[in-house]
Amino acid sequence: MADDLRAGGVLEPIAMVPPRPDLAAEKEPASWKEGLFLDADPCSDQGYHANPGATVKTLIPEGKTPFPRIIQTNELLFYERFRAYQDYILADCKASEVKEFTVSFLEKVLEPSGWWAVWHTNVFEVLVEVTNVDFPSLKAVVRLAEPCIYESKLSTFTLANVKELLDLKEFHLPLQELWVVSDDSHEFHQMALAIEHVRFFYKHIWRSWDEEEEDEYDYFVRCVEPRLRLYYDILEDRVPSGLIVDYHNLLSQCEESYRKFLNLRSSLSNCNSDSEQENISMVEGLNLYSEIEQLKQKLKLIENPLLRYVFGYQKNSNIQGKGTRQNGQKVIHVVSSTMKTGLLRSLFKDRFCEESCKEETEIKFHSDLLSGINACYDGDTVIICPGHYVVHGTCSIADSIELEGYGLPDDVVIEKRGKGDTFVDCTGMDVKISGIKFIQHDSVEGILIIHHGKTTLENCVLQCETTGVTVRTSAELFMKNSDVYGAKGAGIEIYPGSKCTLTDSGIHHCKEGILIKDFLDEHYDIPKISMINNIIHNNEGYGVVLVKPTIFCDLQENTQDEINDNMVQKNKEADVTEGLDLEEMLQCVASKMQPYATADSSEQAKGNCEIINELLAISMQKGRMKKRLSELGITQADDNIMSQEMFIEIMGNQFKWNGKGSFGTFLY
């Protein structure tokens, strides 16, 4: 990048601001400054790279006023910001030292006077000259440039108002509101980049409560890096829109609660009386503090790339089904880009001459796939003829319909193109999809998301790009003789409270095969899972990953300390009963698996046993926890351990060549 700057990568400035050779000739810590703006970073995330030549440009602010060109710096790449914060600005500072380190950085880069900038606000822009920099306050002392160049978005806000505002501010302006004007000096580009780093940090990275967090020497690792990655993940459409909305809402709630907390704490510090009102305020302060801590934990969950992948978030689908037609009639929709006589003859022979097809059944023909799906009511069938169908947008299936490919999956291909969160959304009570190949592009979320109801997937191929099939809370998936591959996330994501049956299917070449999710701050029923005769192979991580909350173990210990001797004895008796149930369940499962174990490889049998033992242990642990909490009056007991099973059947599955093994757990 330093070479690009020296090569004259900046457009010719308007002859409004004279070059300043006196500044350019001054001594520079060349190696230090050039290192800040180097292109290469061997430790950076390659996924964030773009064209390095687009780093520093100049532009003319919109409007008729001939403003001088400013150095445009807000299109920096991830690795450029990452390296600047890590190596030159923040390093290993504590949260309480951020301001000090930032000031030290600016003192090395910024000229204290003699440079021009555009003071940019939401209302107006005006050209100013910097006469001094107050580094500790991150402000510049300015005066209006001569000649004065000014532009306002509001006709009522005049230049006189600007001068009055400057007087009120005592001519001290935040550096974040200044955009450096370009001239022939490379020094100005370095100053513009330095100010941009500070502006970006305080706008997108810094939180007002950071200073009160644990003051350790890992502020960059704990806060800066995950927030920076989240910013670029959002910028590059790698985060679902629903999760982005959740994050911004949580951030606003936390900022509002923290502001109230600071005001309350300030009022208490100024009050020396031991009044009832003060006691009420202290209770309110404790409640606010607890609320803030919970919000901060949720924010950290989303900011952490691994955690926001592992944990789920609740997404409510707004798709409304049409229900049945008023006359109760069901329609067969035939989708084909072109309809030829041979195809029509085959259709009538194979599909419309069956006994189940009544003479009065209505048939509608569509050339567009989405129009055929959108025309459906409850009980309708969509027959998709061989062909390659390109879809821009989301296929929303809100009614109980059947989507049937006429031919082999490779003959009936539906390809998603264009930006968007999802490919296929299912909310119908009983949706059936068969004989189709889905190819996903650009979607942020899964290739198929089941929000509600039951979706049956049979003889299908799913070529994924992000996540494969997502089974959300209270939804149900039955997948048979299907193939899921290529997901950068998990091939199958199973949410709490859902039901998933996988039979004779393949899940391969994904980041993880199957990911069983959990929520951090809420309790849901564990999912019900059946896995029979599947082949899970060549995944980057594990064949199956289970999110296992350690919080239950901690609660178990704390609860046990608080229960009296009688309750402890009762719990021990319950543990014995649970142990017997566990042994019976293991024996039952072992007997079911025995016919398959003889034919399977040792890795396959080992994988099935690992999953069964782990899921049974979790079931038993959660059952114990519910009982013990119930005796404290915290929740209602559930004495039926069998109702807490996470699986119905797990047998005959083959686990081959998965990078980390057949089964793993993620502890939090």
Side-chain angles (χ1 to χ4, degrees):
M1 187 186 306
D3 294 337
D4 291 339
L5 295 178
R6 293 189 178 88
V10 180
L11 302 177
E12 277 299 317
I14 296 178
M16 179 91 48
V17 182
R20 300 184 181 273
D22 54 324
L23 294 179
E26 291 180 5
K27 293 183 179 180
E28 306 178 354
S31 60
W32 185 90
K33 291 183 179 179
E34 289 177 8
L36 176 62
F37 310 108
L38 288 176
D39 288 339
D41 182 3
C43 298
S44 63
D45 188 341
Q46 297 296 323
Y48 292 90
H49 285 209
N51 180 13
T55 300
V56 179
K57 300 183 289 187
T58 60
L59 56 85
I60 301 177
E62 294 183 1
K64 298 179 181 179
T65 307
F67 272 89
R69 297 181 186 274
I70 62 175
I71 303 172
Q72 196 268 345
T73 55
N74 59 357
E75 294 182 0
L76 298 179
L77 307 178
F78 166 81
Y79 76 94
E80 294 174 297
R81 296 193 194 275
F82 181 93
R83 188 176 185 190
Y85 293 133
Q86 183 185 50
D87 295 346
Y88 299 101
I89 304 178
L90 302 176
D92 59 350
C93 73
K94 302 177 182 178
S96 60
E97 297 173 335
V98 167
K99 181 76 171 291
E100 177 186 343
F101 274 59
T102 303
V103 168
S104 176
F105 164 73
L106 290 176
E107 286 176 342
K108 298 174 183 177
V109 181
L110 292 190
E111 293 293 337
S113 63
W115 48 280
W116 294 26
V118 173
W119 179 21
H120 176 82
T121 69
N122 293 331
V123 178
F124 64 86
E125 294 176 343
V126 64
L127 186 64
V128 297
E129 182 180 357
V130 176
T131 59
N132 194 14
V133 177
D134 183 4
F135 289 103
S137 65
L138 300 180
K139 291 184 177 181
V141 182
V142 304
R143 64 187 176 198
L144 291 176
E146 294 293 341
C148 183
I149 302 176
Y150 166 76
E151 183 175 294
S152 175
K153 297 179 181 177
L154 300 176
S155 58
T156 56
F157 200 90
T158 63
L159 183 58
N161 299 126
V162 174
K163 292 179 179 178
E164 184 180 351
L165 185 58
L166 271 175
D167 286 334
L168 290 173
K169 291 178 173 288
E170 298 180 344
F171 294 88
H172 283 64
L173 300 179
L175 287 171
Q176 294 98 302
E177 296 181 7
L178 298 180
W179 297 81
V180 180
V181 169
S182 172
D183 72 351
D184 293 334
S185 171
H186 298 305
E187 182 78 8
F188 280 25
H189 292 283
Q190 294 172 346
M191 291 199 304
L193 284 169
I195 292 175
E196 168 61 23
H197 288 311
V198 175
R199 175 168 41 240
F200 181 90
F201 175 79
Y202 281 103
K203 183 176 181 181
H204 299 290
I205 306 297
W206 178 254
R207 307 285 183 254
S208 53
W209 54 82
D210 281 353
E211 223 165 357
E212 298 194 7
E213 294 248 316
E214 294 182 9
D215 209 11
E216 301 173 353
Y217 283 100
D218 59 352
Y219 176 71
F220 178 85
V221 175
R222 286 188 298 111
C223 300
V224 178
E225 181 178 358
R227 292 171 187 170
L228 186 62
R229 288 186 180 276
L230 176 62
Y231 175 86
Y232 277 90
D233 281 344
I234 292 174
L235 188 67
E236 299 175 14
D237 297 319
R238 287 196 288 266
V239 181
S241 59
L243 192 57
I244 297 172
V245 172
D246 287 353
Y247 180 74
H248 288 305
N249 288 340
L250 288 170
L251 196 56
S252 298
Q253 292 174 34
C254 197
E255 288 171 348
E256 178 65 18
S257 297
Y258 187 69
R259 182 187 61 79
K260 291 179 181 178
F261 178 77
L262 291 180
N263 292 338
L264 188 61
R265 188 171 64 179
S266 177
S267 65
L268 285 172
S269 63
N270 297 329
C271 179
N272 297 321
S273 63
D274 192 16
S275 63
E276 182 179 351
Q277 182 61 40
E278 182 182 1
N279 292 333
I280 294 174
S281 297
M282 290 183 67
V283 172
E284 183 183 351
L286 289 173
N287 291 335
L288 276 173
Y289 180 80
S290 176
E291 178 185 337
I292 291 167
E293 288 301 310
Q294 290 179 9
L295 291 170
K296 283 159 59 175
Q297 289 302 318
K298 292 179 182 179
L299 288 170
K300 289 178 181 178
L301 172 67
I302 300 175
E303 289 167 355
N304 187 299
L306 177 61
L307 292 180
R308 71 171 173 266
Y309 163 71
V310 170
F311 291 104
Y313 76 101
Q314 299 183 74
K315 178 182 177 182
N316 298 319
S317 176
N318 297 321
I319 307 171
Q320 297 295 327
K322 298 177 183 178
T324 57
R325 290 182 176 81
Q326 291 183 354
N327 58 7
Q329 189 176 13
K330 298 179 180 179
V331 175
I332 296 178
H333 303 265
V334 178
V335 178
S336 179
S337 53
T338 58
M339 180 60 69
K340 297 183 178 180
T341 55
L343 176 60
L344 188 60
R345 189 181 300 112
S346 298
L347 272 174
F348 274 95
K349 179 182 177 182
D350 297 337
R351 291 294 283 107
F352 302 142
C353 292
E354 299 175 358
E355 294 182 1
S356 59
C357 189
K358 300 178 181 179
E359 293 183 3
E360 62 272 15
T361 299
E362 182 179 351
I363 301 173
K364 291 186 177 180
F365 293 89
H366 306 266
S367 59
D368 179 69
L369 175 65
L370 289 183
S371 67
I373 294 174
N374 294 335
C376 286
Y377 285 76
D378 252 358
D380 286 2
T381 299
V382 180
I383 298 176
I384 306 174
C385 297
H388 193 113
Y389 302 87
V390 176
V391 173
H392 297 272
T394 301
C395 294
S396 300
I397 305 176
D399 292 288
S400 297
I401 67 171
E402 185 171 349
L403 207 63
E404 177 188 337
Y406 182 59
L408 298 174
D410 286 339
D411 298 328
V412 183
V413 179
I414 303 175
E415 182 178 357
K416 163 78 166 65
R417 293 181 187 172
K419 297 293 182 181
D421 274 358
T422 58
F423 186 177
V424 181
D425 263 352
C426 290
T427 58
M429 292 303 296
D430 189 7
V431 177
K432 297 179 181 178
I433 304 174
S434 62
I436 301 172
K437 180 176 183 178
F438 295 91
I439 301 177
Q440 177 195 44
H441 294 294
D442 296 326
S443 292
V444 179
E445 294 191 71
I447 192 169
L448 170 63
I449 298 184
I450 307 167
H451 295 276
H452 308 290
K454 177 182 179 181
T455 295
T456 299
L457 204 65
E458 190 168 358
N459 296 320
C460 289
V461 175
L462 290 84
Q463 179 180 321
C464 312
E465 191 171 84
T466 52
T467 301
V469 181
T470 301
V471 192
R472 293 200 177 275
T473 300
S474 75
E476 181 178 353
L477 167 68
F478 180 85
M479 187 170 82
K480 183 177 181 181
N481 294 326
S482 296
D483 200 38
V484 180
Y485 65 93
K488 294 178 183 176
I492 307 287
E493 285 188 357
I494 304 175
Y495 277 62
S498 64
K499 185 175 181 180
C500 186
T501 302
L502 309 176
T503 304
D504 299 309
S505 295
I507 304 170
H508 57 96
H509 294 93
C510 303
K511 182 175 181 180
E512 310 285 356
I514 299 171
L515 178 65
I516 305 172
K517 289 199 171 190
D518 199 356
F519 292 103
L520 182 66
D521 59 332
E522 298 185 49
H523 301 290
Y524 290 84
D525 291 335
I526 57 177
K528 311 292 184 182
I529 302 169
S530 295
M531 296 171 56
I532 304 171
N533 298 337
N534 301 288
I535 303 177
I536 303 172
H537 65 96
N538 289 102
N539 296 291
E540 182 181 337
Y542 291 101
V544 177
V545 176
L546 169 67
V547 175
K548 182 179 178 181
T550 56
I551 186 172
F552 287 100
C553 299
D554 298 335
L555 285 173
Q556 182 176 336
E557 294 175 3
N558 295 335
T559 303
Q560 199 166 13
D561 294 337
E562 298 177 9
I563 301 177
N564 59 36
D565 295 339
N566 292 333
M567 290 185 175
V568 170
Q569 182 62 32
K570 184 177 180 180
N571 285 335
K572 288 181 178 179
E573 293 173 0
D575 290 346
V576 172
T577 304
E578 289 166 2
L580 292 174
D581 289 340
L582 177 59
E583 291 299 326
E584 292 174 3
M585 293 163 74
L586 284 172
Q587 291 176 6
C588 177
V589 172
S591 63
K592 288 183 180 179
M593 285 185 58
Q594 192 170 4
Y596 296 94
T598 55
D600 294 340
S601 65
S602 59
E603 183 182 2
Q604 170 188 335
K606 180 182 177 183
N608 288 285
C609 289
E610 282 182 359
I611 297 171
I612 291 166
N613 291 334
E614 186 66 28
L615 299 186
L616 281 170
I618 295 298
S619 296
M620 184 180 68
Q621 188 182 63
K622 287 198 173 186
R624 288 175 179 172
M625 195 62 245
K626 282 196 171 185
K627 288 183 177 181
R628 294 184 178 179
L629 291 177
S630 69
E631 290 165 354
L632 291 179
I634 297 175
T635 186
Q636 183 178 357
D638 184 356
D639 295 328
N640 186 1
I641 297 299
M642 296 299 288
S643 68
Q644 291 297 314
E645 293 178 20
M646 191 178 285
F647 73 94
I648 299 172
E649 280 186 301
I650 295 181
M651 61 178 66
N653 302 288
Q654 297 184 42
F655 296 86
K656 298 180 178 180
W657 309 303
N658 295 297
K660 295 182 179 179
S662 58
F663 182 79
T665 57
F666 181 89
L667 299 175
Y668 73 95

